[in-house]
Amino acid sequence: RESHAHAYASPMSPPVARQIIASLTMISSTEEGKGRLRQLAENTRYFRDELRKRGYIIYGDSHSPVIPMILFTLANICAFAKECLNRGLATVIVAFPATTMLGARARFCMSASHTREHLDRVLAILEELDPMINLKMSAKRPTSAFMDFWRHFFTRPAIPTRAVDEEG
């Protein structure tokens, strides 16, 4: 009675279990399923390689169809989500407390049904947003806004607390 599943989870319904079994059977035993797996791998490889070539910071396993792109700050993630939505692109964003304070990210979820045109459209939107939001904060190519932010952050004089002033 004190297990996680008992307290926080509900059992899988029979229709959901049947759908999972049917999907796994289709993927493993039909040419259509094998073709979809190949297409998913191709889409993942293409999108990941293009993001990396263009200077975006991405994480995750190279074979995973979920591709996290680091956006760093809450301000970036809010602007990114809003501007993507304005351009017809649905996004999945994750920020603090699910990540570290500077670990905010967008997650791109690849599908076998995406075409090369779909992926190129997303890449074009990212290129359009980069000058506005500064998405390419890469150690290989630090942008001036990024460097100005960190220069300001690390060169600010420390402000002592009252307790330190009274003791010293």
Side-chain angles (χ1 to χ4, degrees), residues 75-101:
N76 274 8
I77 207 160
C78 293
F80 179 79
K82 180 181 177 188
E83 292 300 326
C84 284
L85 192 59
N86 288 343
R87 288 162 176 76
L89 176 62
T91 58
V92 177
I93 55 174
V94 184
F96 184 81
T99 68
T100 61
M101 283 299 277

PDB file of all heavy atoms in Angstrom, residues 75-101:
ATOM      1  N   ALA A  75      13.764  34.256 -19.604  1.00  0.00           N
ATOM      2  CA  ALA A  75      13.382  35.279 -20.589  1.00  0.00           C
ATOM      3  C   ALA A  75      13.484  34.719 -22.003  1.00  0.00           C
ATOM      4  O   ALA A  75      12.595  34.937 -22.831  1.00  0.00           O
ATOM      5  CB  ALA A  75      14.271  36.509 -20.442  1.00  0.00           C
ATOM      6  N   ASN A  76      14.565  33.989 -22.288  1.00  0.00           N
ATOM      7  CA  ASN A  76      14.717  33.382 -23.613  1.00  0.00           C
ATOM      8  C   ASN A  76      13.608  32.386 -23.898  1.00  0.00           C
ATOM      9  O   ASN A  76      13.074  32.332 -25.006  1.00  0.00           O
ATOM     10  CB  ASN A  76      16.062  32.666 -23.729  1.00  0.00           C
ATOM     11  CG  ASN A  76      17.178  33.578 -24.151  1.00  0.00           C
ATOM     12  OD1 ASN A  76      17.010  34.781 -24.233  1.00  0.00           O
ATOM     13  ND2 ASN A  76      18.333  33.008 -24.393  1.00  0.00           N
ATOM     14  N   ILE A  77      13.285  31.581 -22.922  1.00  0.00           N
ATOM     15  CA  ILE A  77      12.303  30.522 -23.149  1.00  0.00           C
ATOM     16  C   ILE A  77      10.908  31.104 -23.369  1.00  0.00           C
ATOM     17  O   ILE A  77      10.160  30.635 -24.228  1.00  0.00           O
ATOM     18  CB  ILE A  77      12.353  29.475 -22.018  1.00  0.00           C
ATOM     19  CG1 ILE A  77      11.890  28.144 -22.562  1.00  0.00           C
ATOM     20  CG2 ILE A  77      11.554  29.855 -20.828  1.00  0.00           C
ATOM     21  CD1 ILE A  77      12.331  26.965 -21.747  1.00  0.00           C
ATOM     22  N   CYS A  78      10.567  32.156 -22.646  1.00  0.00           N
ATOM     23  CA  CYS A  78       9.259  32.804 -22.838  1.00  0.00           C
ATOM     24  C   CYS A  78       9.176  33.448 -24.215  1.00  0.00           C
ATOM     25  O   CYS A  78       8.182  33.285 -24.930  1.00  0.00           O
ATOM     26  CB  CYS A  78       9.008  33.835 -21.744  1.00  0.00           C
ATOM     27  SG  CYS A  78       8.806  33.105 -20.112  1.00  0.00           S
ATOM     28  N   ALA A  79      10.207  34.184 -24.591  1.00  0.00           N
ATOM     29  CA  ALA A  79      10.232  34.827 -25.910  1.00  0.00           C
ATOM     30  C   ALA A  79      10.223  33.780 -27.018  1.00  0.00           C
ATOM     31  O   ALA A  79       9.520  33.928 -28.022  1.00  0.00           O
ATOM     32  CB  ALA A  79      11.463  35.721 -26.034  1.00  0.00           C
ATOM     33  N   PHE A  80      10.984  32.705 -26.834  1.00  0.00           N
ATOM     34  CA  PHE A  80      11.046  31.637 -27.831  1.00  0.00           C
ATOM     35  C   PHE A  80       9.673  31.004 -28.043  1.00  0.00           C
ATOM     36  O   PHE A  80       9.216  30.850 -29.178  1.00  0.00           O
ATOM     37  CB  PHE A  80      12.061  30.577 -27.386  1.00  0.00           C
ATOM     38  CG  PHE A  80      12.194  29.428 -28.331  1.00  0.00           C
ATOM     39  CD1 PHE A  80      12.941  29.547 -29.490  1.00  0.00           C
ATOM     40  CD2 PHE A  80      11.579  28.210 -28.062  1.00  0.00           C
ATOM     41  CE1 PHE A  80      13.065  28.482 -30.372  1.00  0.00           C
ATOM     42  CE2 PHE A  80      11.697  27.149 -28.934  1.00  0.00           C
ATOM     43  CZ  PHE A  80      12.447  27.285 -30.093  1.00  0.00           C
ATOM     44  N   ALA A  81       9.001  30.647 -26.965  1.00  0.00           N
ATOM     45  CA  ALA A  81       7.686  30.004 -27.069  1.00  0.00           C
ATOM     46  C   ALA A  81       6.686  30.929 -27.754  1.00  0.00           C
ATOM     47  O   ALA A  81       5.930  30.505 -28.636  1.00  0.00           O
ATOM     48  CB  ALA A  81       7.184  29.601 -25.688  1.00  0.00           C
ATOM     49  N   LYS A  82       6.691  32.197 -27.379  1.00  0.00           N
ATOM     50  CA  LYS A  82       5.743  33.158 -27.959  1.00  0.00           C
ATOM     51  C   LYS A  82       6.007  33.370 -29.445  1.00  0.00           C
ATOM     52  O   LYS A  82       5.083  33.342 -30.265  1.00  0.00           O
ATOM     53  CB  LYS A  82       5.836  34.486 -27.210  1.00  0.00           C
ATOM     54  CG  LYS A  82       4.886  35.534 -27.731  1.00  0.00           C
ATOM     55  CD  LYS A  82       5.026  36.830 -26.974  1.00  0.00           C
ATOM     56  CE  LYS A  82       4.110  37.881 -27.576  1.00  0.00           C
ATOM     57  NZ  LYS A  82       4.345  39.187 -27.016  1.00  0.00           N
ATOM     58  N   GLU A  83       7.267  33.580 -29.805  1.00  0.00           N
ATOM     59  CA  GLU A  83       7.605  33.843 -31.201  1.00  0.00           C
ATOM     60  C   GLU A  83       7.390  32.601 -32.074  1.00  0.00           C
ATOM     61  O   GLU A  83       6.979  32.721 -33.226  1.00  0.00           O
ATOM     62  CB  GLU A  83       9.045  34.348 -31.330  1.00  0.00           C
ATOM     63  CG  GLU A  83       9.258  35.720 -30.730  1.00  0.00           C
ATOM     64  CD  GLU A  83       8.390  36.800 -31.375  1.00  0.00           C
ATOM     65  OE1 GLU A  83       8.124  36.715 -32.599  1.00  0.00           O
ATOM     66  OE2 GLU A  83       7.967  37.723 -30.668  1.00  0.00           O
ATOM     67  N   CYS A  84       7.651  31.418 -31.545  1.00  0.00           N
ATOM     68  CA  CYS A  84       7.383  30.189 -32.300  1.00  0.00           C
ATOM     69  C   CYS A  84       5.890  30.046 -32.552  1.00  0.00           C
ATOM     70  O   CYS A  84       5.463  29.730 -33.669  1.00  0.00           O
ATOM     71  CB  CYS A  84       7.916  28.961 -31.564  1.00  0.00           C
ATOM     72  SG  CYS A  84       9.700  28.779 -31.673  1.00  0.00           S
ATOM     73  N   LEU A  85       5.096  30.284 -31.529  1.00  0.00           N
ATOM     74  CA  LEU A  85       3.645  30.186 -31.669  1.00  0.00           C
ATOM     75  C   LEU A  85       3.122  31.194 -32.702  1.00  0.00           C
ATOM     76  O   LEU A  85       2.258  30.866 -33.517  1.00  0.00           O
ATOM     77  CB  LEU A  85       2.971  30.397 -30.317  1.00  0.00           C
ATOM     78  CG  LEU A  85       1.489  30.057 -30.238  1.00  0.00           C
ATOM     79  CD1 LEU A  85       1.234  28.608 -30.602  1.00  0.00           C
ATOM     80  CD2 LEU A  85       0.972  30.332 -28.838  1.00  0.00           C
ATOM     81  N   ASN A  86       3.681  32.397 -32.699  1.00  0.00           N
ATOM     82  CA  ASN A  86       3.291  33.416 -33.680  1.00  0.00           C
ATOM     83  C   ASN A  86       3.592  32.975 -35.109  1.00  0.00           C
ATOM     84  O   ASN A  86       2.977  33.446 -36.053  1.00  0.00           O
ATOM     85  CB  ASN A  86       4.002  34.743 -33.408  1.00  0.00           C
ATOM     86  CG  ASN A  86       3.465  35.438 -32.182  1.00  0.00           C
ATOM     87  OD1 ASN A  86       2.375  35.134 -31.696  1.00  0.00           O
ATOM     88  ND2 ASN A  86       4.244  36.373 -31.653  1.00  0.00           N
ATOM     89  N   ARG A  87       4.569  32.074 -35.269  1.00  0.00           N
ATOM     90  CA  ARG A  87       4.965  31.588 -36.595  1.00  0.00           C
ATOM     91  C   ARG A  87       4.361  30.218 -36.914  1.00  0.00           C
ATOM     92  O   ARG A  87       4.744  29.578 -37.890  1.00  0.00           O
ATOM     93  CB  ARG A  87       6.487  31.530 -36.679  1.00  0.00           C
ATOM     94  CG  ARG A  87       7.102  32.917 -36.767  1.00  0.00           C
ATOM     95  CD  ARG A  87       8.576  32.905 -36.405  1.00  0.00           C
ATOM     96  NE  ARG A  87       9.171  34.219 -36.572  1.00  0.00           N
ATOM     97  CZ  ARG A  87       8.996  35.237 -35.728  1.00  0.00           C
ATOM     98  NH1 ARG A  87       8.255  35.098 -34.659  1.00  0.00           N
ATOM     99  NH2 ARG A  87       9.573  36.403 -35.948  1.00  0.00           N
ATOM    100  N   GLY A  88       3.447  29.748 -36.059  1.00  0.00           N
ATOM    101  CA  GLY A  88       2.764  28.488 -36.321  1.00  0.00           C
ATOM    102  C   GLY A  88       3.534  27.250 -35.910  1.00  0.00           C
ATOM    103  O   GLY A  88       3.239  26.151 -36.387  1.00  0.00           O
ATOM    104  N   LEU A  89       4.511  27.401 -35.032  1.00  0.00           N
ATOM    105  CA  LEU A  89       5.325  26.273 -34.582  1.00  0.00           C
ATOM    106  C   LEU A  89       5.015  25.981 -33.118  1.00  0.00           C
ATOM    107  O   LEU A  89       5.255  26.823 -32.249  1.00  0.00           O
ATOM    108  CB  LEU A  89       6.816  26.597 -34.749  1.00  0.00           C
ATOM    109  CG  LEU A  89       7.812  25.566 -34.251  1.00  0.00           C
ATOM    110  CD1 LEU A  89       7.658  24.260 -35.003  1.00  0.00           C
ATOM    111  CD2 LEU A  89       9.227  26.098 -34.374  1.00  0.00           C
ATOM    112  N   ALA A  90       4.482  24.801 -32.856  1.00  0.00           N
ATOM    113  CA  ALA A  90       4.217  24.389 -31.474  1.00  0.00           C
ATOM    114  C   ALA A  90       5.532  23.919 -30.858  1.00  0.00           C
ATOM    115  O   ALA A  90       6.319  23.231 -31.508  1.00  0.00           O
ATOM    116  CB  ALA A  90       3.199  23.259 -31.445  1.00  0.00           C
ATOM    117  N   THR A  91       5.779  24.323 -29.623  1.00  0.00           N
ATOM    118  CA  THR A  91       7.033  23.955 -28.974  1.00  0.00           C
ATOM    119  C   THR A  91       6.770  23.322 -27.614  1.00  0.00           C
ATOM    120  O   THR A  91       5.745  23.559 -26.987  1.00  0.00           O
ATOM    121  CB  THR A  91       7.937  25.195 -28.755  1.00  0.00           C
ATOM    122  OG1 THR A  91       7.215  26.145 -27.973  1.00  0.00           O
ATOM    123  CG2 THR A  91       8.349  25.809 -30.060  1.00  0.00           C
ATOM    124  N   VAL A  92       7.732  22.524 -27.178  1.00  0.00           N
ATOM    125  CA  VAL A  92       7.732  21.968 -25.829  1.00  0.00           C
ATOM    126  C   VAL A  92       8.903  22.630 -25.123  1.00  0.00           C
ATOM    127  O   VAL A  92      10.047  22.519 -25.568  1.00  0.00           O
ATOM    128  CB  VAL A  92       7.923  20.434 -25.849  1.00  0.00           C
ATOM    129  CG1 VAL A  92       7.984  19.880 -24.436  1.00  0.00           C
ATOM    130  CG2 VAL A  92       6.819  19.760 -26.646  1.00  0.00           C
ATOM    131  N   ILE A  93       8.619  23.357 -24.041  1.00  0.00           N
ATOM    132  CA  ILE A  93       9.683  24.044 -23.322  1.00  0.00           C
ATOM    133  C   ILE A  93       9.747  23.524 -21.890  1.00  0.00           C
ATOM    134  O   ILE A  93       8.735  23.117 -21.319  1.00  0.00           O
ATOM    135  CB  ILE A  93       9.496  25.574 -23.343  1.00  0.00           C
ATOM    136  CG1 ILE A  93       8.116  25.961 -22.807  1.00  0.00           C
ATOM    137  CG2 ILE A  93       9.696  26.113 -24.743  1.00  0.00           C
ATOM    138  CD1 ILE A  93       7.907  27.440 -22.662  1.00  0.00           C
ATOM    139  N   VAL A  94      10.951  23.531 -21.340  1.00  0.00           N
ATOM    140  CA  VAL A  94      11.177  23.052 -19.978  1.00  0.00           C
ATOM    141  C   VAL A  94      12.109  24.049 -19.296  1.00  0.00           C
ATOM    142  O   VAL A  94      13.122  24.444 -19.873  1.00  0.00           O
ATOM    143  CB  VAL A  94      11.836  21.653 -19.975  1.00  0.00           C
ATOM    144  CG1 VAL A  94      11.985  21.132 -18.572  1.00  0.00           C
ATOM    145  CG2 VAL A  94      11.051  20.679 -20.831  1.00  0.00           C
ATOM    146  N   ALA A  95      11.756  24.466 -18.086  1.00  0.00           N
ATOM    147  CA  ALA A  95      12.583  25.432 -17.356  1.00  0.00           C
ATOM    148  C   ALA A  95      12.604  25.084 -15.876  1.00  0.00           C
ATOM    149  O   ALA A  95      12.023  24.090 -15.451  1.00  0.00           O
ATOM    150  CB  ALA A  95      12.051  26.847 -17.581  1.00  0.00           C
ATOM    151  N   PHE A  96      13.268  25.914 -15.097  1.00  0.00           N
ATOM    152  CA  PHE A  96      13.353  25.759 -13.649  1.00  0.00           C
ATOM    153  C   PHE A  96      11.942  25.677 -13.070  1.00  0.00           C
ATOM    154  O   PHE A  96      11.077  26.420 -13.506  1.00  0.00           O
ATOM    155  CB  PHE A  96      14.117  26.944 -13.052  1.00  0.00           C
ATOM    156  CG  PHE A  96      14.340  26.843 -11.573  1.00  0.00           C
ATOM    157  CD1 PHE A  96      15.367  26.074 -11.083  1.00  0.00           C
ATOM    158  CD2 PHE A  96      13.493  27.503 -10.699  1.00  0.00           C
ATOM    159  CE1 PHE A  96      15.559  25.974  -9.719  1.00  0.00           C
ATOM    160  CE2 PHE A  96      13.686  27.402  -9.343  1.00  0.00           C
ATOM    161  CZ  PHE A  96      14.715  26.637  -8.860  1.00  0.00           C
ATOM    162  N   PRO A  97      11.660  24.785 -12.169  1.00  0.00           N
ATOM    163  CA  PRO A  97      12.522  23.926 -11.368  1.00  0.00           C
ATOM    164  C   PRO A  97      12.795  22.550 -11.972  1.00  0.00           C
ATOM    165  O   PRO A  97      13.482  21.740 -11.370  1.00  0.00           O
ATOM    166  CB  PRO A  97      11.744  23.786 -10.067  1.00  0.00           C
ATOM    167  CG  PRO A  97      10.316  23.826 -10.486  1.00  0.00           C
ATOM    168  CD  PRO A  97      10.272  24.772 -11.648  1.00  0.00           C
ATOM    169  N   ALA A  98      12.284  22.274 -13.173  1.00  0.00           N
ATOM    170  CA  ALA A  98      12.558  20.977 -13.809  1.00  0.00           C
ATOM    171  C   ALA A  98      13.987  20.902 -14.338  1.00  0.00           C
ATOM    172  O   ALA A  98      14.486  19.818 -14.617  1.00  0.00           O
ATOM    173  CB  ALA A  98      11.567  20.719 -14.931  1.00  0.00           C
ATOM    174  N   THR A  99      14.646  22.061 -14.497  1.00  0.00           N
ATOM    175  CA  THR A  99      16.038  22.122 -14.944  1.00  0.00           C
ATOM    176  C   THR A  99      16.801  23.011 -13.956  1.00  0.00           C
ATOM    177  O   THR A  99      16.204  23.594 -13.056  1.00  0.00           O
ATOM    178  CB  THR A  99      16.150  22.747 -16.350  1.00  0.00           C
ATOM    179  OG1 THR A  99      15.791  24.132 -16.265  1.00  0.00           O
ATOM    180  CG2 THR A  99      15.268  22.035 -17.354  1.00  0.00           C
ATOM    181  N   THR A 100      18.093  23.161 -14.182  1.00  0.00           N
ATOM    182  CA  THR A 100      18.856  24.133 -13.393  1.00  0.00           C
ATOM    183  C   THR A 100      18.412  25.531 -13.807  1.00  0.00           C
ATOM    184  O   THR A 100      17.729  25.696 -14.821  1.00  0.00           O
ATOM    185  CB  THR A 100      20.369  23.980 -13.655  1.00  0.00           C
ATOM    186  OG1 THR A 100      20.613  24.223 -15.044  1.00  0.00           O
ATOM    187  CG2 THR A 100      20.862  22.586 -13.274  1.00  0.00           C
ATOM    188  N   MET A 101      18.832  26.547 -13.062  1.00  0.00           N
ATOM    189  CA  MET A 101      18.416  27.918 -13.362  1.00  0.00           C
ATOM    190  C   MET A 101      18.769  28.334 -14.794  1.00  0.00           C
ATOM    191  O   MET A 101      18.003  29.014 -15.457  1.00  0.00           O
ATOM    192  CB  MET A 101      19.052  28.908 -12.378  1.00  0.00           C
ATOM    193  CG  MET A 101      18.382  28.901 -11.023  1.00  0.00           C
ATOM    194  SD  MET A 101      16.653  29.364 -11.102  1.00  0.00           S
ATOM    195  CE  MET A 101      16.775  31.115 -11.093  1.00  0.00           C
TER     196      MET A 101
END
